[in-house]
């Protein structure tokens, strides 16, 4: 890694001052470049949808993120917190879900063992309809101030203003963004 070159993220800083611990040709670097471009585009529209500090409406909804996004969030979290604290929080949430919603846990286990894309897709749809009304706190949410502990490392879905909701009272069902804007 050439530490005196401009950082791959486009910040204009030298890599040694910006992302010195990330290889410029890694998956994390590609993700950071993607997020940088996404944030730029989302904020350059005429009416950007930005969360206000302390809003955590979306942080109690269940949604999927990729393994890479989760690893990047853990990387960001570990910069200022103990991963043991995060895993403990995640374990509490899992145990609550296992106790209160065992059907969802069963579907997640089935998803891991899916043998075809069609089976995986069908299970994912079942999971979506089973978790649609569940409310569990994101393990990265800091309850004290209602803020994300990994805001700069948040996944794609959170950068697009959380998950919004599906209004299935309308036919066909319509995706609606957060009403708090």
């Amino acid at each position: 890694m050439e530490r005196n070159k401009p950082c791959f993220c486009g910040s204009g800083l030298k890599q040694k001052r910006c992302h010195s611990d990330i290889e410029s040709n890694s998956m994390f670097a590609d993700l950071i470049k993607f997020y940088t471009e996404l944030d730029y585009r989302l904020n350059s529209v005429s009416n950007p949808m930005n969360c206000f500090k302390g809003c955590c409406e979306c942080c109690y909804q269940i949604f999927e993120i990729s393994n890479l996004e989760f690893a990047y969030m853990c990387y960001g979290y570990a910069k200022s917190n103990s991963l043991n604290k995060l895993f403990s929080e995640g374990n509490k949430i899992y145990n609550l879900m296992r106790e209160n919603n065992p059907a969802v846990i069963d579907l997640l286990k089935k998803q891991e063992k899916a043998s075809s894309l069609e089976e995986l897709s069908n299970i994912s749809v079942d999971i979506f309809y089973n978790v649609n009304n569940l409310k569990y706190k994101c393990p990265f949410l800091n309850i004290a101030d209602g803020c994300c502990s990994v805001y700069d490392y948040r996944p794609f879905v959170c950068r697009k203003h959380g998950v919004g909701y599906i209004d299935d009272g309308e036919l066909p069902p319509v995706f609606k963004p957060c009403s708090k804007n």
Side-chain angles (χ1 to χ4, degrees):
M1 169 180 352
E2 293 185 41
R3 297 170 36 84
N4 286 318
K5 283 180 64 177
C7 189
F8 60 82
C9 75
S11 67
L13 298 173
K14 291 182 179 181
Q15 182 151 354
K16 68 181 177 185
R17 300 240 184 257
C18 195
H19 289 102
S20 63
D21 57 345
I22 296 178
E23 292 291 329
S24 61
N25 61 349
S26 69
M27 288 192 304
F28 272 1
D30 290 343
L31 187 64
I32 291 166
K33 288 184 262 188
F34 172 72
Y35 284 163
T36 301
E37 180 68 20
L38 177 66
D39 290 345
Y40 172 77
R41 288 178 184 240
L42 289 173
N43 288 317
S44 65
V45 296
S46 60
N47 187 19
M49 291 177 29
N50 293 316
C51 300
F52 57 88
K53 189 173 175 104
C55 178
C56 54
E57 287 291 313
C58 298
C59 304
Y60 287 87
Q61 296 183 29
I62 296 174
F63 51 88
E64 288 187 55
I65 61 172
S66 71
N67 290 338
L68 179 62
E69 289 176 306
F70 180 70
Y72 187 59
M73 292 168 71
C74 288
Y75 161 80
Y77 189 86
K79 287 183 168 280
S80 58
N81 299 284
S82 162
L83 284 176
N84 287 337
K85 180 180 170 187
L86 174 67
F87 296 142
S88 174
E89 185 66 24
N91 197 39
K92 285 182 207 171
I93 295 165
Y94 175 81
N95 286 331
L96 275 171
M97 187 181 287
R98 191 177 66 199
E99 183 179 315
N100 298 320
N101 307 95
V104 172
I105 299 299
D106 290 343
L107 285 168
L108 290 170
K109 288 178 181 177
K110 270 177 78 174
Q111 189 180 41
E112 287 178 5
K113 296 176 182 172
S115 59
S116 69
L117 188 55
E118 181 180 1
E119 182 182 6
L120 181 63
S121 178
N122 289 336
I123 294 168
S124 294
V125 168
D126 288 345
I127 290 171
F128 174 78
Y129 282 110
N130 276 280
V131 302
N132 201 19
N133 295 318
L134 299 182
K135 302 287 183 195
Y136 290 97
K137 179 187 95 54
C138 174
F140 294 100
L141 176 64
N142 181 348
I143 292 208
D145 61 6
C147 293
C148 180
S149 62
V150 290
Y151 186 80
D152 292 337
Y153 305 89
R154 68 198 186 284
F156 177 77
V157 69
C158 298
R159 289 171 190 271
K160 288 188 61 195
H161 194 65
V163 294
Y165 66 98
I166 297 199
D167 183 350
D168 53 6
E170 293 186 37
L171 291 176
V174 176
F175 177 80
K176 294 187 175 179
C178 179
S179 61
K180 297 232 176 207
N181 263 339

